[in-house]
Amino acid sequence: MLQILGLIGSKWSILIIGQLRDRTLRFGELHRTVNGISQRMLTLTLRQLERDGLLTRTVHPSVPPRVDYTLSELGATLLDSVVALGEWATTHRQEINDNRSRYDATHPRQPPS
Amino acid sequence: MLQILGLIGSKWSILIIGQLRDRTLRFGELHRTVNGISQRMLTLTLRQLERDGLLTRTVHPSVPPRVDYTLSELGATLLDSVVALGEWATTHRQEINDNRSRYDATHPRQPPS
DNA sequence: CGGAATCCCGGGTGATACTG
DNA sequence: CAGTATCACCCGGGATTCCG
């Protein structure tokens, strides 16, 4: 259970699954569309998602190489929840940032001596 | 956006919010019901959730001390997504574990020399 | 193009002990 | 009971370089 949540927990997993919502994407396309992810983390996260069977990895034996990533059926069952999470984050982003600012203002880290 | 997802991302956040689904809990109760969390991580995660305004922390000036944690309105708006995620994890737990085993069996870490 | 390998740092996390 | 403090470690994650 903890491991399963750990998988979902990765913000990168959420973003990647969100990107594959309704289309197949290549490695480079994911790299460009997933904001701020490094090549390393993209590779590692994709491997993990593949291992868990949430997406399928298709290698086209061409030159130059081409690798496609598509949500599996299992991955698709996660879509609704993931999309909901993403929308929640977008919707309440400002509110949360405000809360953080207010909290930080009223809870000084180093109580003034 | 990334920070917001990072917040949700924590498996502990998901589990804690799930526990507070329909009731107020004390620190010790959370410690007992959230499987495998250390006291330290429980404290830190609760602080973070409080900072973001997802839950409210109420200190009762009694002896012994008593601290109650309750979902805020904002936190409640996350409930549906979080609960859905939890149910998904429970439902597909076995399937994912099978996928992992199969993957590991067919993708040796050290290719036999 | 789509990785794998290596180096390296910061911080996330657990264990333990102490406190109001 | 509900934390805080401290130490120590592991690993998530970036930067860089090399490969098929």
Side-chain angles (χ1 to χ4, degrees):
Chain A
M1 176 61 150
L2 289 184
Q3 349 181 19
I4 310 294
L5 286 179
L7 141 78
I8 309 173
S10 161
K11 60 190 175 199
W12 299 130
S13 297
I14 296 180
L15 290 174
I16 290 175
I17 291 177
Q19 286 298 325
L20 294 178
R21 179 174 187 167
D22 46 15
R23 57 191 190 280
T24 294
L25 288 178
R26 305 180 55 176
F27 184 88
E29 291 172 327
L30 279 170
H31 197 184
R32 265 173 265 118
T33 52
V34 176
N35 190 356
I37 195 172
S38 67
Q39 189 184 48
R40 171 191 168 84
M41 284 316 296
L42 180 54
T43 301
L44 291 179
T45 308
L46 286 172
R47 283 286 180 281
Q48 191 184 354
L49 291 174
E50 183 196 4
R51 181 166 100 111
D52 290 337
L54 296 186
L55 54 77
T56 61
R57 179 173 179 267
T58 310
V59 179
H60 301 277
S62 56
V63 177
R66 174 196 182 99
V67 183
D68 287 338
Y69 294 93
T70 312
L71 273 192
S72 67
E73 281 190 30
L74 178 57
T77 65
L78 234 190
L79 250 186
D80 287 349
S81 304
V82 165
V83 168
L85 225 42
E87 288 176 353
W88 185 92
T90 305
T91 303
H92 298 283
R93 177 183 177 169
Q94 188 57 52
E95 184 175 359
I96 290 181
N97 281 329
D98 292 348
N99 287 339
R100 288 182 181 177
S101 300
R102 191 174 329 115
Y103 184 94
D104 292 345
T106 54
H107 296 70
R109 299 178 177 278
Q110 300 303 346
S113 56
Chain B
M1 177 61 153
L2 288 184
Q3 351 182 19
I4 310 294
L5 286 179
L7 142 77
I8 309 173
S10 161
K11 60 189 175 200
W12 299 130
S13 297
I14 296 180
L15 291 174
I16 289 175
I17 292 176
Q19 286 299 326
L20 295 178
R21 178 174 188 168
D22 45 17
R23 58 190 190 279
T24 293
L25 288 178
R26 305 180 52 176
F27 184 89
E29 292 173 325
L30 279 169
H31 197 185
R32 266 174 265 119
T33 52
V34 175
N35 189 357
I37 194 172
S38 67
Q39 190 184 43
R40 171 191 169 81
M41 284 316 297
L42 180 55
T43 299
L44 291 179
T45 309
L46 286 172
R47 283 284 181 284
Q48 190 183 357
L49 292 174
E50 183 196 5
R51 181 166 101 110
D52 291 336
L54 296 185
L55 53 77
T56 62
R57 179 173 179 267
T58 309
V59 180
H60 301 278
S62 57
V63 177
R66 174 195 182 97
V67 182
D68 287 339
Y69 293 93
T70 312
L71 273 192
S72 67
E73 282 191 27
L74 178 58
T77 65
L78 235 190
L79 249 186
D80 286 349
S81 304
V82 165
V83 168
L85 224 43
E87 288 176 351
W88 185 91
T90 305
T91 303
H92 298 283
R93 177 182 177 168
Q94 188 57 51
E95 184 175 358
I96 291 182
N97 280 329
D98 291 347
N99 286 339
R100 288 183 181 177
S101 299
R102 191 173 329 115
Y103 185 93
D104 292 345
T106 53
H107 296 71
R109 300 179 175 277
Q110 300 302 348
S113 55

